[in-house]
Coordinates of all heavy atoms in Angstrom, one line a residue:
M1 N 6.7 -43.7 9.0 CA 7.1 -42.3 9.0 C 8.4 -42.1 8.2 O 8.5 -41.1 7.5 CB 7.3 -41.9 10.5 CG 7.6 -40.5 10.7 SD 6.0 -39.6 10.4 CE 6.4 -38.1 11.0
L2 N 9.3 -43.0 8.2 CA 10.5 -42.9 7.5 C 10.3 -43.0 6.0 O 10.9 -42.3 5.2 CB 11.5 -44.0 7.9 CG 12.9 -43.9 7.3 CD1 13.6 -42.6 7.6 CD2 13.8 -45.1 7.8
V3 N 9.3 -43.8 5.6 CA 9.0 -43.9 4.2 C 8.3 -42.7 3.7 O 8.6 -42.2 2.6 CB 8.0 -45.2 4.0 CG1 7.5 -45.2 2.6 CG2 8.7 -46.5 4.4
R4 N 7.5 -42.1 4.5 CA 6.8 -40.8 4.1 C 7.8 -39.7 4.0 O 7.7 -38.9 3.0 CB 5.7 -40.5 5.2 CG 5.0 -39.2 4.9 CD 3.9 -38.9 5.8 NE 2.8 -39.7 5.5 CZ 1.6 -39.6 6.1 NH1 1.5 -38.9 7.2 NH2 0.6 -40.3 5.7
S5 N 8.8 -39.5 4.8 CA 9.7 -38.5 4.7 C 10.6 -38.7 3.5 O 11.0 -37.8 2.8 CB 10.5 -38.3 6.0 OG 11.3 -39.5 6.2
A6 N 10.9 -40.0 3.2 CA 11.8 -40.3 2.0 C 11.0 -39.9 0.7 O 11.6 -39.4 -0.2 CB 12.2 -41.7 2.0
S7 N 9.7 -40.2 0.7 CA 8.9 -39.9 -0.5 C 8.8 -38.4 -0.6 O 8.7 -37.9 -1.7 CB 7.6 -40.6 -0.4 OG 6.8 -40.1 0.7
M8 N 8.7 -37.7 0.5 CA 8.6 -36.2 0.4 C 9.9 -35.6 -0.1 O 9.9 -34.7 -0.9 CB 8.3 -35.6 1.8 CG 6.9 -35.8 2.3 SD 5.7 -35.0 1.3 CE 5.9 -33.3 1.9
M9 N 11.0 -36.1 0.3 CA 12.3 -35.7 -0.2 C 12.4 -35.9 -1.7 O 12.9 -35.1 -2.4 CB 13.5 -36.3 0.6 CG 13.5 -35.9 2.0 SD 13.8 -34.2 2.2 CE 15.6 -34.2 1.9
A10 N 12.0 -37.1 -2.1 CA 12.0 -37.4 -3.6 C 11.1 -36.5 -4.3 O 11.5 -36.0 -5.4 CB 11.6 -38.9 -3.8
A11 N 9.9 -36.1 -3.8 CA 9.0 -35.2 -4.5 C 9.6 -33.8 -4.6 O 9.5 -33.2 -5.6 CB 7.7 -35.2 -3.8
I12 N 10.3 -33.4 -3.5 CA 10.9 -32.1 -3.6 C 12.1 -32.1 -4.6 O 12.2 -31.1 -5.3 CB 11.4 -31.7 -2.1 CG1 10.2 -31.5 -1.2 CG2 12.3 -30.5 -2.2 CD1 10.5 -31.3 0.2
A13 N 12.9 -33.1 -4.6 CA 14.0 -33.2 -5.5 C 13.5 -33.2 -7.0 O 14.0 -32.6 -7.9 CB 14.8 -34.4 -5.2
L14 N 12.4 -33.9 -7.2 CA 11.8 -34.0 -8.6 C 11.3 -32.6 -9.0 O 11.4 -32.2 -10.1 CB 10.7 -35.0 -8.6 CG 10.1 -35.3 -9.9 CD1 11.2 -35.8 -10.9 CD2 9.0 -36.3 -9.8
A15 N 10.6 -31.9 -8.1 CA 10.1 -30.6 -8.4 C 11.2 -29.6 -8.6 O 11.0 -28.7 -9.4 CB 9.1 -30.1 -7.2
A16 N 12.3 -29.7 -7.9 CA 13.4 -28.7 -8.1 C 14.3 -29.0 -9.3 O 15.0 -28.1 -9.7 CB 14.2 -28.7 -6.8
S17 N 14.2 -30.2 -9.9 CA 15.1 -30.5 -11.0 C 15.0 -29.6 -12.2 O 16.0 -29.2 -12.8 CB 14.9 -32.0 -11.4 OG 13.6 -32.2 -11.9
P18 N 13.8 -29.1 -12.6 CA 13.7 -28.2 -13.7 C 14.5 -26.9 -13.4 O 15.1 -26.3 -14.2 CB 12.3 -27.9 -14.0 CG 11.6 -29.1 -13.4 CD 12.4 -29.5 -12.3
V19 N 14.4 -26.4 -12.2 CA 15.0 -25.2 -11.7 C 16.5 -25.4 -11.8 O 17.3 -24.5 -12.3 CB 14.6 -24.8 -10.3 CG1 15.4 -23.6 -9.8 CG2 13.1 -24.5 -10.3
I20 N 17.0 -26.5 -11.3 CA 18.5 -26.8 -11.3 C 19.0 -26.9 -12.7 O 20.0 -26.4 -13.1 CB 18.7 -28.1 -10.5 CG1 18.4 -27.9 -9.0 CG2 20.2 -28.5 -10.7 CD1 18.4 -29.1 -8.2
A21 N 18.2 -27.6 -13.6 CA 18.6 -27.7 -15.0 C 18.6 -26.3 -15.7 O 19.5 -26.1 -16.5 CB 17.6 -28.6 -15.7
Q22 N 17.7 -25.5 -15.4 CA 17.7 -24.2 -16.0 C 18.9 -23.3 -15.6 O 19.5 -22.7 -16.4 CB 16.4 -23.5 -15.6 CG 16.2 -22.1 -16.3 CD 14.9 -21.4 -15.9 OE1 14.3 -21.9 -15.0 NE2 14.6 -20.3 -16.5
T23 N 19.2 -23.3 -14.3 CA 20.3 -22.5 -13.8 C 21.7 -23.1 -14.4 O 22.6 -22.3 -14.7 CB 20.4 -22.5 -12.3 OG1 20.4 -23.8 -11.8 CG2 19.2 -21.7 -11.8
S24 N 21.8 -24.4 -14.5 CA 23.0 -24.9 -15.0 C 23.2 -24.6 -16.5 O 24.2 -24.5 -17.1 CB 23.1 -26.4 -14.8 OG 22.1 -27.1 -15.5
A25 N 22.1 -24.6 -17.3 CA 22.1 -24.3 -18.7 C 22.4 -22.8 -18.9 O 23.1 -22.5 -19.9 CB 20.8 -24.6 -19.3
E26 N 22.0 -21.9 -18.1 CA 22.2 -20.5 -18.2 C 23.5 -20.0 -17.6 O 23.9 -18.9 -17.8 CB 21.1 -19.7 -17.6 CG 19.8 -19.9 -18.3 CD 18.6 -19.2 -17.6 OE1 18.9 -18.5 -16.5 OE2 17.5 -19.2 -18.0
G27 N 24.2 -20.9 -16.9 CA 25.4 -20.5 -16.2 C 25.0 -20.1 -14.8 O 24.3 -20.8 -14.1
T28 N 25.4 -19.0 -14.3 CA 25.0 -18.5 -13.0 C 23.8 -17.7 -13.1 O 23.7 -16.8 -13.9 CB 26.1 -17.7 -12.3 OG1 26.4 -16.6 -13.2 CG2 27.4 -18.6 -12.1
S29 N 22.8 -18.0 -12.3 CA 21.6 -17.3 -12.3 C 21.3 -16.8 -10.9 O 21.5 -17.5 -9.9 CB 20.4 -18.2 -12.8 OG 19.2 -17.5 -12.7
S30 N 20.8 -15.6 -10.8 CA 20.5 -15.0 -9.5 C 19.0 -15.2 -9.2 O 18.5 -14.5 -8.3 CB 20.9 -13.5 -9.4 OG 20.1 -12.8 -10.4
G31 N 18.4 -16.0 -9.9 CA 17.0 -16.3 -9.6 C 16.1 -15.6 -10.7 O 16.6 -15.1 -11.7
P32 N 14.8 -15.7 -10.5 CA 13.9 -15.1 -11.5 C 14.2 -13.5 -11.6 O 14.4 -12.9 -10.6 CB 12.5 -15.4 -11.0 CG 12.7 -15.7 -9.6 CD 14.1 -16.2 -9.4
T33 N 14.1 -13.0 -12.8 CA 14.3 -11.6 -13.0 C 13.1 -10.9 -12.4 O 11.9 -11.2 -12.8 CB 14.5 -11.2 -14.4 OG1 13.4 -11.7 -15.2 CG2 15.8 -11.8 -15.0
P34 N 13.3 -9.9 -11.6 CA 12.1 -9.1 -11.1 C 11.5 -8.3 -12.2 O 12.2 -7.7 -13.0 CB 12.7 -8.2 -10.0 CG 14.2 -8.1 -10.4 CD 14.5 -9.3 -11.1
T35 N 10.2 -8.3 -12.2 CA 9.5 -7.5 -13.2 C 9.1 -6.2 -12.5 O 8.7 -6.1 -11.4 CB 8.2 -8.2 -13.7 OG1 7.4 -8.5 -12.6 CG2 8.5 -9.5 -14.4
A36 N 9.2 -5.1 -13.3 CA 8.8 -3.8 -12.7 C 7.3 -3.7 -12.6 O 6.6 -3.9 -13.5 CB 9.3 -2.7 -13.6
K37 N 6.9 -3.4 -11.4 CA 5.5 -3.2 -11.1 C 5.1 -1.8 -11.7 O 5.8 -0.8 -11.5 CB 5.2 -3.2 -9.6 CG 5.3 -4.6 -9.0 CD 4.9 -4.6 -7.6 CE 5.0 -5.9 -6.9 NZ 4.6 -5.9 -5.5
P38 N 3.9 -1.8 -12.3 CA 3.5 -0.5 -12.8 C 3.2 0.4 -11.6 O 2.5 0.0 -10.6 CB 2.2 -0.7 -13.6 CG 1.8 -2.1 -13.2 CD 3.0 -2.8 -12.7
S39 N 3.7 1.6 -11.6 CA 3.5 2.5 -10.5 C 2.1 3.0 -10.5 O 1.5 3.2 -11.5 CB 4.5 3.7 -10.5 OG 4.3 4.4 -11.7
K40 N 1.6 3.3 -9.3 CA 0.2 3.8 -9.2 C 0.2 5.3 -9.6 O 1.2 6.0 -9.4 CB -0.2 3.7 -7.7 CG -0.4 2.3 -7.3 CD -0.9 2.3 -5.8 CE -1.1 0.9 -5.3 NZ -1.5 0.8 -3.9
P41 N -0.8 5.7 -10.3 CA -0.9 7.1 -10.6 C -1.0 8.0 -9.4 O -1.6 7.6 -8.4 CB -2.2 7.2 -11.5 CG -3.0 6.0 -11.1 CD -2.0 5.0 -10.7
A42 N -0.3 9.1 -9.5 CA -0.3 10.0 -8.3 C -1.7 10.5 -8.0 O -2.4 11.0 -8.9 CB 0.7 11.1 -8.5
K43 N -2.1 10.5 -6.8 CA -3.4 11.0 -6.4 C -3.3 12.5 -6.3 O -2.3 13.1 -5.8 CB -3.8 10.5 -5.0 CG -4.1 9.0 -5.0 CD -4.6 8.6 -3.7 CE -5.0 7.1 -3.7 NZ -5.5 6.7 -2.3
P44 N -4.3 13.2 -6.8 CA -4.2 14.7 -6.7 C -4.4 15.1 -5.3 O -5.1 14.5 -4.5 CB -5.4 15.1 -7.5 CG -6.3 13.9 -7.8 CD -5.4 12.7 -7.6
R45 N -3.7 16.1 -4.9 CA -3.7 16.6 -3.5 C -5.0 17.3 -3.2 O -5.5 18.1 -4.0 CB -2.5 17.6 -3.4 CG -2.1 17.8 -1.9 CD -1.0 18.7 -1.8 NE -1.5 19.9 -1.2 CZ -1.3 21.2 -1.5 NH1 -0.5 21.4 -2.5 NH2 -1.8 22.2 -0.9
K46 N -5.5 17.0 -2.1 CA -6.8 17.6 -1.6 C -6.6 18.9 -0.9 O -5.6 19.0 -0.1 CB -7.6 16.6 -0.7 CG -7.9 15.3 -1.4 CD -9.3 15.4 -1.9 CE -9.7 14.0 -2.5 NZ -11.1 13.9 -2.8
I47 N -7.5 19.8 -1.1 CA -7.4 21.1 -0.4 C -8.7 21.1 0.5 O -9.8 21.0 0.0 CB -7.4 22.3 -1.4 CG1 -6.2 22.1 -2.3 CG2 -7.4 23.6 -0.6 CD1 -6.2 23.1 -3.4
C48 N -8.5 21.3 1.8 CA -9.6 21.3 2.7 C -9.9 22.8 3.1 O -9.0 23.5 3.4 CB -9.3 20.5 3.9 SG -9.1 18.8 3.6
R49 N -11.2 23.1 3.1 CA -11.7 24.4 3.6 C -12.8 24.2 4.6 O -13.5 23.3 4.5 CB -12.2 25.2 2.4 CG -11.2 25.5 1.3 CD -11.8 26.3 0.2 NE -10.8 26.6 -0.8 CZ -11.0 27.0 -2.0 NH1 -12.3 27.3 -2.4 NH2 -10.1 27.2 -2.9
S50 N -12.8 25.1 5.5 CA -13.8 25.1 6.5 C -15.0 26.0 6.1 O -14.7 27.2 5.9 CB -13.2 25.6 7.9 OG -14.2 25.5 8.9
E51 N -16.2 25.5 6.0 CA -17.3 26.3 5.6 C -18.5 26.2 6.6 O -18.7 25.1 7.2 CB -17.8 25.8 4.2 CG -16.8 26.1 3.1 CD -17.3 25.8 1.7 OE1 -18.5 25.4 1.6 OE2 -16.6 26.0 0.8
A52 N -19.2 27.2 6.7 CA -20.4 27.3 7.6 C -21.5 26.5 6.9 O -21.7 26.5 5.7 CB -20.8 28.7 7.8
T53 N -22.2 25.7 7.7 CA -23.4 24.9 7.2 C -24.6 25.6 7.7 O -24.7 26.3 8.7 CB -23.3 23.5 7.7 OG1 -23.3 23.4 9.1 CG2 -22.1 22.8 7.1
T54 N -25.7 25.3 7.0 CA -27.0 25.9 7.4 C -27.5 25.2 8.7 O -27.4 24.0 8.9 CB -28.0 25.6 6.3 OG1 -27.5 26.0 5.1 CG2 -29.4 26.3 6.6
S55 N -28.0 26.0 9.6 CA -28.6 25.6 10.8 C -27.7 24.9 11.8 O -28.0 24.0 12.5 CB -29.9 24.8 10.6 OG -29.5 23.5 10.1
S56 N -26.4 25.3 11.7 CA -25.4 24.7 12.6 C -24.4 25.7 13.0 O -24.0 26.6 12.1 CB -24.8 23.5 12.0 OG -23.8 23.0 12.9
R57 N -23.9 25.7 14.2 CA -22.8 26.6 14.6 C -21.4 26.0 14.3 O -20.4 26.6 14.4 CB -22.9 26.9 16.1 CG -24.1 27.6 16.5 CD -24.2 27.9 17.9 NE -25.4 28.6 18.3 CZ -25.7 29.1 19.4 NH1 -24.8 29.0 20.4 NH2 -26.9 29.6 19.7
V58 N -21.4 24.7 14.0 CA -20.2 24.0 13.8 C -19.9 24.1 12.3 O -20.7 23.9 11.4 CB -20.3 22.5 14.2 CG1 -19.0 21.8 13.9 CG2 -20.7 22.4 15.6
R59 N -18.6 24.5 12.0 CA -18.2 24.6 10.6 C -17.8 23.2 10.1 O -17.2 22.4 10.8 CB -17.0 25.6 10.5 CG -17.5 27.0 10.9 CD -16.3 28.0 10.8 NE -15.9 28.3 9.5 CZ -16.4 29.1 8.7 NH1 -17.5 29.8 9.0 NH2 -15.9 29.3 7.5
A60 N -18.1 23.0 8.9 CA -17.8 21.7 8.3 C -16.5 21.8 7.4 O -16.3 22.8 6.8 CB -18.9 21.2 7.3
S61 N -15.7 20.8 7.5 CA -14.5 20.7 6.7 C -14.8 20.0 5.4 O -15.2 18.8 5.4 CB -13.4 20.0 7.5 OG -12.2 20.0 6.7
I62 N -14.6 20.7 4.3 CA -14.9 20.1 2.9 C -13.6 20.0 2.2 O -12.8 21.0 2.0 CB -15.9 21.0 2.2 CG1 -17.2 21.1 3.0 CG2 -16.1 20.4 0.8 CD1 -18.2 22.0 2.4
C63 N -13.2 18.8 1.7 CA -12.0 18.6 1.0 C -12.2 18.2 -0.4 O -13.0 17.3 -0.7 CB -11.2 17.4 1.7 SG -10.8 17.8 3.4
K64 N -11.6 18.9 -1.3 CA -11.7 18.7 -2.8 C -10.4 18.9 -3.4 O -9.5 19.6 -2.8 CB -12.7 19.6 -3.4 CG -14.1 19.4 -2.9 CD -15.1 20.4 -3.6 CE -16.5 20.3 -3.0 NZ -17.4 21.3 -3.7
T65 N -10.2 18.4 -4.7 CA -9.0 18.7 -5.4 C -9.1 20.2 -5.9 O -10.1 20.8 -6.0 CB -8.8 17.8 -6.6 OG1 -9.9 17.9 -7.5 CG2 -8.7 16.3 -6.1
A66 N -7.9 20.7 -6.4 CA -7.9 22.1 -6.9 C -8.8 22.2 -8.1 O -9.5 23.2 -8.3 CB -6.5 22.5 -7.3
E67 N -8.8 21.1 -8.9 CA -9.7 21.1 -10.1 C -11.2 21.2 -9.7 O -11.9 21.9 -10.3 CB -9.4 19.9 -11.0 CG -10.2 19.8 -12.2 CD -9.9 18.5 -13.0 OE1 -8.8 18.1 -13.0 OE2 -10.9 18.0 -13.6
E68 N -11.5 20.5 -8.7 CA -12.9 20.5 -8.3 C -13.3 21.8 -7.7 O -14.4 22.3 -7.9 CB -13.1 19.4 -7.2 CG -13.1 18.0 -7.8 CD -13.1 16.9 -6.7 OE1 -12.6 17.2 -5.6 OE2 -13.5 15.8 -7.0
W69 N -12.4 22.5 -6.9 CA -12.7 23.8 -6.4 C -12.9 24.8 -7.6 O -13.7 25.7 -7.5 CB -11.6 24.3 -5.5 CG -11.6 23.7 -4.1 CD1 -10.7 22.8 -3.6 CD2 -12.7 23.8 -3.1 NE1 -11.1 22.4 -2.3 CE2 -12.3 23.0 -2.0 CE3 -13.9 24.5 -3.0 CZ2 -13.1 22.9 -0.8 CZ3 -14.6 24.4 -1.9 CH2 -14.2 23.6 -0.8
E70 N -12.0 24.7 -8.6 CA -12.1 25.6 -9.7 C -13.4 25.4 -10.5 O -14.1 26.4 -10.9 CB -10.9 25.4 -10.7 CG -9.6 25.9 -10.1 CD -8.4 25.5 -10.9 OE1 -8.6 24.9 -12.0 OE2 -7.3 25.7 -10.5
R71 N -13.8 24.2 -10.7 CA -15.1 23.9 -11.4 C -16.3 24.5 -10.6 O -17.2 25.0 -11.2 CB -15.3 22.4 -11.5 CG -15.1 21.9 -13.0 CD -15.5 20.5 -13.2 NE -14.4 19.6 -12.6 CZ -14.6 18.5 -12.0 NH1 -15.8 18.0 -11.8 NH2 -13.6 17.8 -11.5
E72 N -16.2 24.3 -9.3 CA -17.3 24.8 -8.5 C -17.4 26.4 -8.6 O -18.5 26.9 -8.7 CB -17.1 24.4 -7.0 CG -18.3 24.8 -6.1 CD -18.2 24.3 -4.7 OE1 -17.8 23.1 -4.6 OE2 -18.4 25.1 -3.8
A73 N -16.2 27.0 -8.5 CA -16.2 28.5 -8.6 C -16.7 28.9 -10.0 O -17.4 29.9 -10.1 CB -14.8 29.0 -8.4
A74 N -16.3 28.2 -11.1 CA -16.8 28.6 -12.4 C -18.3 28.4 -12.5 O -19.0 29.2 -13.1 CB -16.0 27.8 -13.5
G75 N -18.8 27.3 -11.9 CA -20.2 27.1 -11.9 C -21.0 28.2 -11.2 O -22.1 28.6 -11.6
S76 N -20.4 28.6 -10.1 CA -21.1 29.7 -9.3 C -21.1 31.0 -10.0 O -22.1 31.7 -10.0 CB -20.3 29.8 -7.9 OG -20.4 28.7 -7.2
E77 N -20.0 31.3 -10.7 CA -19.9 32.5 -11.5 C -20.9 32.5 -12.6 O -21.6 33.5 -13.0 CB -18.5 32.8 -12.0 CG -17.5 33.1 -10.9 CD -16.1 33.1 -11.5 OE1 -15.9 33.0 -12.7 OE2 -15.2 33.3 -10.6
H78 N -21.1 31.3 -13.3 CA -22.0 31.1 -14.4 C -23.4 31.3 -13.9 O -24.2 32.1 -14.5 CB -21.9 29.8 -15.0 CG -22.9 29.5 -16.0 ND1 -22.9 30.1 -17.3 CD2 -24.0 28.7 -16.0 CE1 -23.9 29.6 -18.0 NE2 -24.6 28.8 -17.2
M79 N -23.8 30.7 -12.7 CA -25.1 30.9 -12.2 C -25.4 32.3 -11.8 O -26.5 32.8 -11.9 CB -25.3 29.9 -11.0 CG -25.5 28.5 -11.4 SD -26.8 28.2 -12.6 CE -28.2 28.6 -11.7
A80 N -24.4 33.0 -11.2 CA -24.6 34.4 -10.9 C -24.9 35.2 -12.1 O -25.7 36.2 -12.0 CB -23.3 34.9 -10.1
G81 N -24.2 34.9 -13.2 CA -24.4 35.7 -14.4 C -25.8 35.4 -15.0 O -26.5 36.3 -15.5
V82 N -26.3 34.1 -14.9 CA -27.6 33.7 -15.4 C -28.7 34.4 -14.6 O -29.7 34.9 -15.1 CB -27.8 32.2 -15.4 CG1 -29.2 31.8 -15.7 CG2 -26.9 31.6 -16.4
L83 N -28.5 34.4 -13.3 CA -29.6 34.9 -12.4 C -29.5 36.5 -12.4 O -30.6 37.1 -12.0 CB -29.4 34.4 -11.0 CG -29.6 32.9 -10.8 CD1 -29.3 32.5 -9.4 CD2 -31.0 32.5 -11.1
G84 N -28.4 37.1 -12.7 CA -28.3 38.5 -12.7 C -28.9 39.2 -13.9 O -29.0 40.4 -14.0
R85 N -29.4 38.4 -14.9 CA -29.9 39.0 -16.1 C -31.2 39.7 -15.9 O -32.1 39.6 -15.3 CB -30.1 38.0 -17.2 CG -28.8 37.5 -17.8 CD -29.1 36.5 -18.9 NE -27.9 35.8 -19.2 CZ -27.8 34.9 -20.1 NH1 -28.9 34.5 -20.8 NH2 -26.7 34.3 -20.4

């Protein structure tokens, strides 16, 4: 058991030697420099509306982004114009 712990200590010292050499060559080092993580793109805010569904008394909550609601409204206006001809 004593031989095994001595060999483990030697392995740890050997593995740490490049780190010790690097810090002594650079002077004082506070460790590896942290790299900036790329920030996640902001998620668009959802807007929820309560709408009546066919054959149900319970209203459904539908959540979409503002862009999706605008696209749906523009599509509805386009279809109303096409059908109104």
Side-chain angles (χ1 to χ4, degrees):
M1 185 73 170
L2 185 58
V3 174
R4 180 176 277 179
S5 63
S7 63
M8 287 295 283
M9 293 297 283
I12 292 171
L14 185 61
S17 62
V19 174
I20 294 170
Q22 181 181 10
T23 56
S24 64
E26 294 176 358
T28 58
S29 176
S30 62
T33 56
T35 57
K37 290 185 178 179
S39 60
K40 294 181 180 178
K43 290 184 178 179
R45 202 177 109 225
K46 297 266 183 170
I47 301 169
C48 297
R49 295 183 183 166
S50 180
E51 295 187 359
T53 57
T54 307
S55 71
S56 177
R57 295 182 186 189
V58 180
R59 296 179 67 85
S61 181
I62 300 172
C63 300
K64 299 179 183 180
T65 63
E67 182 181 322
E68 291 171 332
W69 283 115
E70 289 171 6
R71 253 190 282 144
E72 185 176 314
S76 296
E77 290 172 7
H78 174 73
M79 286 304 292
V82 169
L83 294 174
R85 289 185 193 177

